[in-house]
Structures are given as structure tokens and as C-alpha cells.
Amino acid sequence: MTHDPTAATIVRGACPHDCPDTCATLVTVEQGRAVRIQGDPDHPFTQGFLCTKVNRYLERTYHAERVLTPLRRVGPKGRGEFVEATWDEALDAIAARLNAIRHSADGPQAILPYSYAGTMGLLQGESMDRRFFHVLGASQLDRTICATAGMMGMRMTVGASIGADAEALPLADLVILWGTNTLTSNPHLWPKVTAARANGARVICIDPIRTRTAEQCDEWIGIRPGTDAALALGMMHVLFGEGMQDDDYLARHTLGVEQLKARVAEFPPARVSAITGIDADAIVRLAREYGRSKAAFVRLNYGLQRHGGGAMAVRAIACLPAVVGHWRHPGGGVMLSASGNFALDKAAVQRPDLIPPGTRTINMSLLGQALRAPDAGVGGPPVRALVVYNSNPAAVAPDYLAVIEGLGRADLFTVVLEHFRTDTCDYADWVLPATTQLEHLDLHWSYGHLYASLNRPAIAPLGQALPNTEIFRRLAARMGLDHPCLREDDETMIHQALASPDPKMRTVTWETLQRDGWVRLDVPRPYAPFAAGGFRTPSGKCEFFSERMLAMGLDPVPDFTPPHEFPERVPALAARYPITLISSPAHQFLNSSFANVGPLLRAAREPEVALHPRDAERRGIAEGQAVVVENDRGHFRATARVREGIREGVAWAPGIWWAKLSPDGRNVNATTSQLLTDMGAGPVFYDNLVEIRLAS
Ligand SMILES: Nc1nc2c(c(=O)[nH]1)N[C@H]1C(S)=C(S)[C@@H](COP(=O)(O)OP(=O)(O)OC[C@H]3O[C@@H](n4cnc5c(=O)[nH]c(N)nc54)[C@H](O)[C@@H]3O)O[C@H]1N2
Ligand SMILES: Nc1nc2c(c(=O)[nH]1)N[C@H]1C(S)=C(S)[C@@H](COP(=O)(O)OP(=O)(O)OC[C@H]3O[C@@H](n4cnc5c(=O)[nH]c(N)nc54)[C@H](O)[C@@H]3O)O[C@H]1N2
Ligand SMILES: [Mo]
């Protein structure tokens, strides 16, 4: 730092958004104002560039519509009419109401926190907030909305959210991008993909939609949604049938190969073709190409687990590299998430020991049900207060109509910590101004690579904004909650997180982070985590047969679990609603974040739904026409985009638009359901049958 107040300084930071890339940023500050943000050229993943969205982070921070003071509701719920208030007024009113509920017959469990990954930072995402709700004795929230199905699929198979090292991808001799729109949702992996290709690897994309990523690949396999497990089982059928398995790796490092062989025998290419809609010879070709390669990198991502059988799909795919022994080589294997490598001492930061015994847990993916059912569907008192931060449930939670019915309840007390007046804020009694990443301190891990990073505040908080941690500290004090951990400051909590006994964390120290901004975990480079087995399962093997799943009453061996709304399973429903709607991220938005930033909003144009020319023709729909997308749960309006690059019977509505910025005030989640995945109790956003018709 320089002492000349007029000179520009550069502050090292980290991107806080929910994305595997966790970029290292450099923020230029002049006279207290951030004037530039760029990717750190030295960071091996960021490589000096930021994505379309985070390039606009300064516009987001200095946006004219930032919430900069506490706001108190004055109009009816849903209308978003507020007046400004002071922090004292806000804290007094919120403390009084939460204390009244806490001391009522319903007790503290009538208070529900609701948060997700608006920031992925350890401090602003999951630290003092957790302590606050634990000491208070509020209901626990099961944070399932994104990744738990896949996490369970990996955990039951390889034992943890650990996979092939993304930085080793250039060493792969085949790349399979499976249910991931890499160029949109994981863009910093793309240079690694092109490096592998320059080394001779072919790149295959498996996705019902010919996304911008699929366009750039050597081959696009347009699979039917929700059928990936069948494809993986069919590939293994061919691999075993043609003797392409690695018997030595199987014998040493796997459990249940005989059961797996018996299962895959049930999945010959003809049957798999009927399930997946992929030609039988294409399935055989894919299996052979996979079997002949030595180190195929399979980049799984979360898209394919948003179906009823999502966990089984991830599990089946996660078996592949053990069958052919690709884990032996850096660059070989499957990667869904790297989060399991980061052993921060989260317990020290979050203090789960302070949760009162017997506290209930409510699944965030069932918010609509939880707000509607008197006992939240899980026993105990009704939810009487909701404290939302780092999330925008009125836009992102499934079954929008159920969610807003609940949020609209006159007797529900809702507090939202936010940067902007989102759809959720419109239902709040109080909105509290939160700082952005430029204004607060944080510590970051990553789910896409092996670097930890520190975000230092670049500028002072705007207006009266406060970090989430400070808001919860002040609220705790005002409510009279008395535990010393509720008074600890942010830097103290970082030190607690870093004091981890795990040897992989040795390199991640306060000093290194202060000096360099980011650091790689203490693992070999490149890292081949299962080269010699060492799976994190109870048996230490890759578990094709899972005792734990058997104990849960589930099939212990990978199988194909069809989607809830699979036409063969629900023919009557499919006759009325024949199209499967996928609502994966728009290129310009980050879930519903940035969906209010002018240039990004303009680039995304308007809510759209893409469908195949034959599906369009059958319905008399032409390019650019206004259509209604509907099912029994609800409907929303969008503009039709007619394109070849999508499977027949599938439509794509990129999201997540703010409902209030959509033509009829509701977005795609008006059609999604509160059904859950086979494991992990996650949502099934893409397991969603709809019909599309011209708007009248
Ligand atoms: N720009 C941008 N980046 C993001 C996000 C964002 O909103 N915008 N969100 C972030 C978050 S929170 C997450 S979880 C990730 C999500 O990013 P990804 O994990 O990549 O997941 P999705 O984008 O949901 O889906 C990826 C692809 O899966 C395809 N897909 C859907 N169903 C199936 C199926 O049954 N089988 C197969 N094979 N493919 C299927 C979709 O068509 C889509 O192209 O991205 C993160 N990055
Ligand atoms: N139909 C459909 N629905 C989906 C998905 C889909 O693909 N299709 N994707 C699902 C997935 S994968 C996910 S992860 C969820 C994501 O859902 P959410 O986690 O709700 O993500 P966002 O919509 O980005 O909302 C995050 C909010 O947090 C706020 N925020 C950011 N940083 C801070 C901070 O430091 N403090 C405070 N107080 N607030 C902050 C932002 O302003 C933003 O409004 O959506 C899910 N919903
Ligand atoms: Mo997500």
C-alpha cells in the first residue's frame, strides 16, 4: 500500500460467485473508488481473464439501485414498497419480533434461515450467520438446492467430492464434457480443454442441447434428458464385453465388480439406445473410444443431476474410470467437484456444537411446502420468521407459485439481507443493506480447482451497507444472545478456519494469502488422487457395491433410475405435456445475480425458450413469436427461438430471470416442481414436462 492518497492501488481479491472457477481478481482503486477489475494473470486458473459477468462487477457494485440503507415495508407483501430506516430502527424492530417468536409457545424453531451461495466466501457465506442461528436455536436449513444429488453420487462411489485435477486436463487423451455447459458455467476450464485438444485429444459433449460448448466440441451426443446412467451402464457393458477393462486396477482398488458386471449385462446397446435416444452404434463407438484411451478426463457437472435419478447418474458415470483404470494417470478420471480437498476447519467457524439437540432440519428445496404446511412437513412449529441472505428464493426456488404464496403470508415475518431489491425483497418486512465483495474481507476455497484465495476489501462499504457477518453480530447483540463466539471478528474466524490439522492445508496460511492472494493446496502437481486407490469410501475402494446405499434401502449397485416425469413412466402426463424443459444458466447471468445489470440484461435480450424446428412447426410456432410455457403447476411467457441444435421433445429456457423483470411477472420456476432427487434430497429443475403454445 502506498501513502500517496491520490495514487492508484491494486487490491487482490477473489470472485465470490457460485462457480467452479473462483477467480483471483485485481481491483484498481483510485481515491477510494474502484475503477477497474481484472483477472490475475499469474493465477493458473484465472489466467488473466474474467467472465462476461464479473467483468461487470464494478457496475454491479456501483449500480444506482444498490440497497444502501435499511428498508422497512410500507405496502402489501409482494409490492416492494419500502421506506428508508436507520440501522437502529431496523435492528430494534427485527430483534423485538424474533425475540417474541423465540419466547412464544412456538419457540426459536419457528425461525428459519434461508441462504445459499450468493457469495461462496467462508465468512460472508457460512460463518457468523451459522453461529447466530445455532445459539438462537432456529431451525436448521438443508442446503440442497444445487449439488447434493451429485455429491451423494460421488460420495457413495469414490467417497468424497474429489476427482481428477482440472489443471491436469491438458494431459488427457480424451475429454468428455458430460452435462456441463463449460463455456458458460466453468469458462476457465476451457483453455485446459483446448490445450488437451492441441495435444491430440478429441472432445465430446453429452448434452440434450447443442450448447455453445457443444458447438466447439468435436462431437455432440444429444442424449435424452435424465438418461445418463443408462448410457454409462451401456458403455460398461461394451467395455466388459470387449475385454477393455483394467483387471489389475479392478482387483486392487474396487469393490463389487461381479455385481457391476451382472448389472451392466442388463444394458446392451439396443436397450440403452431405446432409453437414451442415442444410436446403438454411437454408444458402442463412444465406449470403444473411451476404452482405448488411457487417461480420459470426464468433466461432469451439475446439469445432469437435476433429475429424479440424478444421484444414480453421477454414481454410474463415476464408476467408469475405475473400470478402465484411468485414475492411474494425471488427467484421467472423473471430476464433479474439488470441494472435498479443502479441509478448512469449518466446525471452528460455524460451531455446530451449539445447535440444541433435537433441532429440526428443513429442506430448502421444499420452501414452498415448508411455508405452507403448518408443521413445515417435518413436525414442529410453523415457520413464522424467515431470514434470507445470499439467496433469492422467489426467483430460484422450484415451484414459484407455492413459494410466493408462502412468502405472501401476512403472518410471516421476513428479513432479507441484500444488495438489490430482488423478487424476494418484494415480500420482505425488512431489507438490510449488505456489502459486496469489493467492500468486505473473505476467504475462498473452490469447487473447480485446488487454490484457496483471500479477498481483501478494496473500498469502504457504500452507504450504510454492512458485511453479513457484522449484521449477524449486531443482531445477536440487540437480541441479547450471549455467547463469546458471537463477538469474534472476521479476521479471527479466518485464523480459526486455517488452523486445520489436515496436511493438504499446510500451504494455506494467513501470511501466504496476505502476500500472494492465493495458494495451491499442498498436493502434488499434477494431482492424481486415486492413482493407487485410496478412495475415501469406508472400504477404501471405489464402491460399485455400496453397503451404505443398501442400508438406506437403495439399490447398492448403479442402475438407471428414470426421471419422475419420464414419458414412459407417466404416459398420461406426457400426452398433455410432451416437452422436457431444461432451464440451465444463461451466459450473461449467474443464477439470478447480474440479471439486473443493464448491459448483461440487454445481451440476454428477454426470457426465451428454444425448441426444435419440428416441435415448433407442430405447434404453429415461428422464430421470435411470444409463447406460453405451461404445465399443471404454472406458466410463464417467453420468446420462441427455433433452432436445430436441440433434441426434439426438449426445450431450453435459459435463466434465471427475475420474475418481476419477466413479461408476465413470473419466470421458469413457475413450472418446476418440488419433487426430489433419488439421493441428497435435491431439486429436479430439469425433470419438468411442459407444453408450449402461442401466446394469445
Ligand atoms: N454463466 C453462469 N455460470 C454459472 C452459473 C450461472 O448461472 N451462470 N451457475 C453456477 C452454478 S450455481 C452452477 S451449479 C453451475 C451449473 O453449471 P453446470 O454444472 O454446467 O450445469 P447446468 O448449466 O445446470 O447444466 C449443464 C448442461 O447440462 C445439460 N443437461 C441438462 N439435463 C441433462 C441430462 O439429463 N443429461 C445431460 N447429459 N445433460 C443435461 C444442460 O442442457 C446444460 O447445457 O454453474 C455455475 N456457473
Ligand atoms: N429453474 C432453475 N432454477 C434454478 C437453477 C436452474 O438451473 N434452473 N439453478 C439452481 C442452482 S444450481 C442454484 S445454486 C440456485 C442459486 O440460487 P441463489 O443462491 O439464490 O443464487 P442467486 O440467484 O444468484 O441469488 C443470490 C443472491 O445473493 C445476493 N448476494 C450476493 N452476495 C451477497 C452478500 O455478500 N451478502 C448478501 N446478503 N447477499 C449477497 C445477490 O445479490 C443475489 O440476489 O438456483 C437454483 N435454481
Ligand atoms: Mo448451483
Side-chain angles (χ1 to χ4, degrees):
M1 286 267 178
T2 164
H3 293 290
D4 174 0
T6 60
T9 53
I10 292 186
V11 182
R12 288 182 178 280
C15 174
H17 285 291
D18 189 351
C19 166
D21 296 1
T22 318
C23 284
T25 57
L26 300 174
V27 180
T28 308
V29 181
E30 284 174 11
Q31 299 182 343
R33 192 176 168 90
V35 294
R36 182 168 184 212
I37 187 166
Q38 61 193 118
D40 185 344
D42 297 328
H43 188 278
F45 229 75
T46 306
Q47 298 189 345
F49 74 96
L50 296 175
C51 67
T52 314
K53 310 163 300 286
V54 177
N55 271 321
R56 303 280 180 185
Y57 201 80
L58 303 190
E59 275 160 80
R60 189 176 185 279
T61 294
Y62 292 115
H63 198 296
E65 288 158 18
R66 263 291 291 280
V67 175
L68 294 175
T69 68
L71 300 173
R72 180 170 61 83
R73 180 170 64 85
V74 288
K77 288 203 175 188
R79 285 261 282 278
E81 293 165 14
F82 296 99
V83 291
E84 293 185 358
T86 64
W87 269 112
D88 267 334
E89 289 164 345
L91 291 171
D92 278 342
I94 297 166
R97 186 70 180 264
L98 294 183
N99 270 337
I101 294 171
R102 169 182 169 217
H103 297 305
S104 73
D106 289 326
Q109 291 197 64
I111 300 167
L112 178 68
Y114 192 95
S115 76
Y116 201 63
T119 166
M120 297 282 298
L122 185 75
L123 292 178
Q124 308 311 332
E126 41 176 340
S127 65
M128 191 55 73
D129 54 308
R130 302 297 202 271
R131 292 179 177 187
F132 171 83
F133 291 109
H134 295 167
V135 173
L136 178 59
S139 289
Q140 289 286 301
L141 185 73
D142 195 4
R143 292 178 170 80
T144 58
I145 202 156
C146 172
T148 46
M151 184 192 76
M152 288 299 283
M154 292 301 280
R155 188 179 288 172
M156 292 302 134
T157 313
V158 303
S161 295
I162 291 179
D165 179 355
E167 254 184 290
L169 196 153
L171 302 173
D173 56 357
L174 174 68
V175 179
I176 303 183
L177 302 176
W178 199 328
T180 167
N181 187 1
T182 311
L183 278 168
T184 286
S185 58
N186 183 192
H188 292 81
L189 191 70
W190 192 253
K192 317 284 181 214
V193 174
T194 52
R197 186 188 253 164
N199 294 339
R202 251 170 47 90
V203 185
I204 300 172
C205 180
I206 306 177
D207 195 310
I209 300 165
R210 190 178 182 116
T211 59
R212 67 172 70 214
T213 303
E215 293 279 356
Q216 300 297 318
C217 292
D218 298 303
E219 186 179 350
W220 169 52
I221 298 180
I223 191 169
R224 274 180 86 193
T227 65
D228 303 272
L231 178 58
L233 293 164
M235 287 171 71
M236 290 187 266
H237 179 102
V238 176
L239 292 168
F240 284 118
E242 301 192 357
M244 299 176 98
Q245 76 276 11
D246 181 334
D247 286 317
D248 178 64
Y249 194 92
L250 284 167
R252 286 173 199 263
H253 305 306
T254 71
L255 189 73
V257 67
E258 291 312 317
Q259 288 98 327
L260 181 67
K261 277 185 185 165
R263 177 57 50 78
V264 304
E266 299 167 24
F267 287 87
R271 179 177 176 217
V272 173
S273 173
I275 297 171
T276 60
I278 303 167
D279 287 346
D281 45 321
I283 295 163
V284 174
R285 240 188 300 122
L286 176 67
R288 287 185 183 151
E289 189 171 356
Y290 186 72
R292 277 198 289 262
S293 63
K294 291 280 168 281
F297 192 105
V298 179
R299 177 54 162 134
L300 270 185
N301 219 328
Y302 290 104
L304 65 79
Q305 48 110 63
R306 306 197 197 291
H307 300 270
M312 268 298 198
V314 168
R315 170 159 164 71
I317 295 166
C319 292
L320 282 165
V323 170
V324 290
H326 286 193
W327 288 119
R328 292 177 189 276
H329 315 289
V334 161
M335 188 226 175
L336 175 61
S337 167
S339 62
N341 293 294
F342 291 83
L344 294 167
D345 192 348
K346 285 196 182 180
V349 174
Q350 302 179 352
R351 301 296 307 269
D353 55 301
L354 297 172
I355 302 171
T359 299
R360 71 174 171 188
T361 298
I362 292 178
N363 183 347
M364 74 186 300
S365 300
L366 301 178
L367 180 65
Q369 186 184 310
L371 294 179
R372 183 182 284 166
D375 66 353
V378 290
V383 175
R384 292 178 56 198
L386 187 69
V387 182
V388 180
Y389 53 103
N390 302 339
S391 184
N392 183 12
V396 307
D399 201 355
Y400 169 80
L401 296 186
V403 171
I404 58 157
E405 183 191 316
L407 290 174
R409 259 174 47 200
D411 64 323
L412 180 73
F413 180 65
T414 302
V415 180
V416 181
L417 285 59
E418 252 300 349
H419 299 152
F420 295 104
R421 292 193 191 187
T422 60
D423 290 322
T424 307
C425 290
D426 287 351
Y427 293 86
D429 293 278
W430 286 92
V431 179
L432 301 177
T435 45
T436 70
Q437 191 77 344
L438 299 188
E439 302 152 76
H440 57 225
L441 179 72
D442 223 325
L443 176 68
H444 289 262
W445 49 279
S446 168
Y447 62 96
H449 56 65
L450 300 172
Y451 294 82
S453 45
L454 184 73
N455 180 74
R456 299 172 69 175
I459 58 171
L462 299 190
Q464 297 178 40
L466 292 174
N468 290 343
T469 44
E470 181 60 18
I471 297 176
F472 285 107
R473 266 191 293 265
R474 292 190 187 186
L475 197 52
R478 199 64 61 111
M479 288 176 70
L481 295 180
D482 189 29
H483 191 286
C485 76
L486 295 172
R487 294 189 288 272
E488 285 174 352
D489 68 14
D490 285 6
E491 200 180 310
T492 301
M493 290 193 285
I494 291 188
H495 288 290
Q496 289 164 346
L498 295 179
S500 161
D502 191 296
K504 284 200 298 296
M505 300 302 294
R506 263 187 310 233
T507 44
V508 188
T509 65
W510 178 249
E511 292 67 34
T512 317
L513 290 170
Q514 283 279 352
R515 191 187 62 226
D516 303 331
W518 44 266
V519 62
R520 187 172 159 100
L521 296 178
D522 196 3
V523 291
R525 183 187 202 158
Y527 183 42
F530 308 130
F535 290 93
R536 310 297 200 266
T537 52
S539 64
K541 313 235 169 175
C542 179
E543 295 191 351
F544 302 142
F545 182 92
S546 168
E547 287 287 350
R548 290 179 294 175
M549 288 180 69
L550 192 62
M552 287 188 256
L554 299 169
D555 191 332
V557 184
D559 196 2
F560 164 59
T561 309
H564 296 288
E565 299 191 350
F566 198 49
E568 286 90 321
R569 187 169 171 178
V570 286
L573 186 72
R576 293 168 59 220
Y577 302 116
I579 291 187
T580 298
L581 182 67
I582 292 176
S583 49
S584 54
H587 193 68
Q588 296 82 2
F589 303 159
L590 194 293
N591 300 319
S592 77
S593 299
F594 295 96
N596 65 330
V597 174
L600 295 171
L601 202 49
R602 283 191 291 281
R605 302 195 284 199
E606 63 224 325
E608 297 179 341
V609 62
L611 69 174
H612 190 274
R614 276 191 291 274
D615 282 325
E617 195 191 317
R618 244 174 248 133
R619 291 164 177 82
I621 295 169
E623 167 69 26
Q625 283 186 307
V627 294
V628 174
V629 183
E630 64 190 350
N631 59 24
D632 288 340
R633 291 178 284 269
H635 58 83
F636 67 98
R637 288 169 78 108
T639 300
R641 299 284 167 218
V642 180
R643 45 182 282 200
E644 293 281 347
I646 195 163
R647 263 198 86 86
E648 235 180 302
V650 177
W652 183 40
I656 304 171
W657 286 78
W658 284 19
K660 64 179 162 189
L661 299 184
S662 304
D664 53 353
R666 50 177 68 181
N667 70 11
V668 62
N669 280 321
T671 59
T672 55
S673 76
Q674 294 183 69
L675 296 170
L676 299 177
T677 52
D678 46 348
M679 282 192 284
V684 294
F685 290 112
Y686 309 160
D687 185 341
N688 181 23
L689 285 176
V690 299
E691 181 52 295
I692 303 176
R693 61 174 167 82
L694 278 176
S696 43

